[in-house]
């Protein structure tokens, strides 16, 4: 074999030869010392700095003034047209045969358009989204027949969601029973010191529950006040801003209430999906 013939010419007991440095690299230093002197008043980062959009910053800081600018422009245009006709000695009555009158009519139309545009800008404003305090009371109801490791996992899910996301209420219904209701809940009208319990029979018959189980996918109600299905969740605080309905396999659902409109991000939704799969795998072992 060629490999065998090749090995036969190699003397295994020959001492290793010393590596010869090429004269081309003999003058190259073996180590490089780098010193950085940073004074107290200078920052260590000397790279490019992000640009500041001065115009955008000025517009955002003077929102009311910017929205009123079309009204000012339209008003000044009207005054300019009237002043021009007064100084030029043109009759105040518009004459269709006069080029100046036609130009003034066009200017008046543009001025009125600017004024109306400014009024629209002032009347339409984006609604500010802020965190609200849930109108309700704290409660913690856990099914007593569950093993300790299941209870600890349910509490882990609640602590994780409440710490990282805008979750303020968590209800888990599995196999036709409410096994967890924790966080803020609506106060009972009959007894203000008690929280409203989850009516599982009514909830299961509702369109929200049936729709989530039928689709087997997460449903995100980013602005709960706009959905008529809000009436099917009377156990949540009345001012709950957003709700995520997460199916737990084909036997249950997790209802997560938040305190901010569109407060759950896409990463939060993906993470909640994984938590739902984990809870379903755990609950299937004991229920």
């Amino acid at each position: 074999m060629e490999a065998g013939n090749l090995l036969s010419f190699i003397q295994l007991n020959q001492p290793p030869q010393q590596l010869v440095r090429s004269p081309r690299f003999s003058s190259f230093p073996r180590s490089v010392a780098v010193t950085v002197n940073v004074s107290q008043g200078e920052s260590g980062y000397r790279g490019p700095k992000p640009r500041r959009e001065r115009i955008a910053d000025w517009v955002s800081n003077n929102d009311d003034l910017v929205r009123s600018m079309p009204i000012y422009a339209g008003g000044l245009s009207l005054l300019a047209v009237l002043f021009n006709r007064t100084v030029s000695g043109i009759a105040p009555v518009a004459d269709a045969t006069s080029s100046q009158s036609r130009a003034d009519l066009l200017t008046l139309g543009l001025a009125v358009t600017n004024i109306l545009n400014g009024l629209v800008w002032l009347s339409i404003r984006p609604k500010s989204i802020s965190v609200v305090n849930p109108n309700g009371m704290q409660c913690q109801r856990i099914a007593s027949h569950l093993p300790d490791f299941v209870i600890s996992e349910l509490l882990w899910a609640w602590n994780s969601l409440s710490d990282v996301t805008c979750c303020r209420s968590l209800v888990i219904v599995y196999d036709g029973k409410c096994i967890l209701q924790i966080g803020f809940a609506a106060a009972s009208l009959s007894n203000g010191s008690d929280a409203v319990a989850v009516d599982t029979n009514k909830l299961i018959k509702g369109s929200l529950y049936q729709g989530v189980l039928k689709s087997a996918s997460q449903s995100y109600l980013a602005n709960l006040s706009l959905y008529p299905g809000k009436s099917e969740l009377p156990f949540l605080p009345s001012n709950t801003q957003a709700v995520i309905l997460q199916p737990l396999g084909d036997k249950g659902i997790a209802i997560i209430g938040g305190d901010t409109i569109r407060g759950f991000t896409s990463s939060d939704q993906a993470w909640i999906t994984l938590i739902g799969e984990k809870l379903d795998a755990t609950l299937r072992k004991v229920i």
Side-chain angles (χ1 to χ4, degrees):
M1 300 297 290
E2 295 182 359
N5 295 333
L6 179 62
L7 292 175
S8 62
F9 290 101
I10 300 176
Q11 298 180 6
L12 299 179
N13 58 354
Q14 181 178 1
Q17 298 180 357
Q18 184 179 3
L19 295 177
V20 179
R21 294 183 59 191
S22 175
R24 184 173 56 179
F25 301 104
S26 59
S27 61
F28 190 79
R30 296 187 179 184
S31 62
V32 178
V34 179
T35 59
V36 179
N37 296 327
V38 179
S39 59
Q40 295 181 355
E42 297 180 357
S43 175
Y45 177 71
R46 298 178 179 272
K49 297 181 180 180
R51 293 179 56 187
R52 292 188 59 185
E53 298 293 340
R54 299 184 181 276
I55 298 178
D57 294 342
W58 184 85
V59 171
S60 61
N61 295 330
N62 301 272
D63 183 68
D64 293 337
L65 177 61
V66 173
R67 291 177 181 273
S68 303
M69 287 179 65
I71 299 177
Y72 298 144
L76 292 175
S77 300
L78 290 176
L79 295 177
V81 171
L82 296 177
F83 179 77
N84 180 58
R85 294 189 70 89
T86 302
V87 174
S88 59
I90 302 176
V93 181
D95 185 5
T97 61
S98 173
S99 59
Q100 181 64 39
S101 298
R102 291 195 296 269
D104 291 343
L105 289 176
L106 180 60
T107 305
L108 289 174
L110 294 176
V112 172
T113 302
N114 279 334
I115 293 175
L116 294 178
N117 189 28
L119 293 175
V120 170
W121 283 10
L122 288 176
S123 61
I124 301 177
R125 294 175 177 271
K127 184 179 179 181
S128 60
I129 299 177
S130 58
V131 180
V132 301
N133 294 323
N135 293 331
M137 55 185 307
Q138 291 274 5
C139 75
Q140 180 173 333
R141 295 169 177 169
I142 305 176
S144 59
H145 65 279
L146 296 176
D148 293 339
F149 76 94
V150 176
I151 294 177
S152 62
E153 185 161 333
L154 293 176
L155 294 178
W156 164 82
W158 159 248
N159 292 328
S160 301
L161 292 173
S162 60
D163 291 342
V164 178
T165 69
C166 65
C167 172
R168 293 298 174 267
S169 305
L170 176 60
V171 174
I172 295 180
V173 176
Y174 200 83
D175 197 24
K177 300 177 182 179
C178 179
I179 62 174
L180 177 66
Q181 182 182 9
I182 194 170
F184 282 93
S188 176
L189 297 178
S190 59
N191 187 359
S193 59
D194 293 337
V196 176
V198 179
D199 188 351
T200 55
N201 294 328
K202 186 177 180 180
L203 177 64
I204 292 174
K205 295 178 182 178
S207 59
L208 292 179
Y209 188 94
Q210 294 296 331
V212 170
L213 288 187
K214 185 177 180 180
S215 63
S217 60
Q218 184 185 99
S219 178
Y220 181 27
L221 310 181
N223 191 354
L224 185 60
S225 61
L226 301 180
Y227 293 90
K230 179 182 178 180
S231 59
E232 300 180 15
L233 308 173
F235 45 84
L236 294 179
S238 59
N239 62 341
T240 300
Q241 302 295 298
V243 166
I244 286 183
L245 305 174
Q246 174 62 43
L248 305 179
D250 57 351
K251 299 180 63 176
I253 186 176
I255 303 174
I256 304 168
D259 59 2
T260 309
I261 297 176
R262 294 184 293 274
F264 294 101
T265 63
S266 57
S267 58
D268 293 338
Q269 299 173 47
W271 185 48
I272 289 173
T273 301
L274 297 178
I275 291 180
E277 294 176 355
K278 187 177 188 305
L279 293 178
D280 177 48
T282 301
L283 293 174
R284 283 183 180 273
K285 299 177 182 178
V286 296
I287 299 179

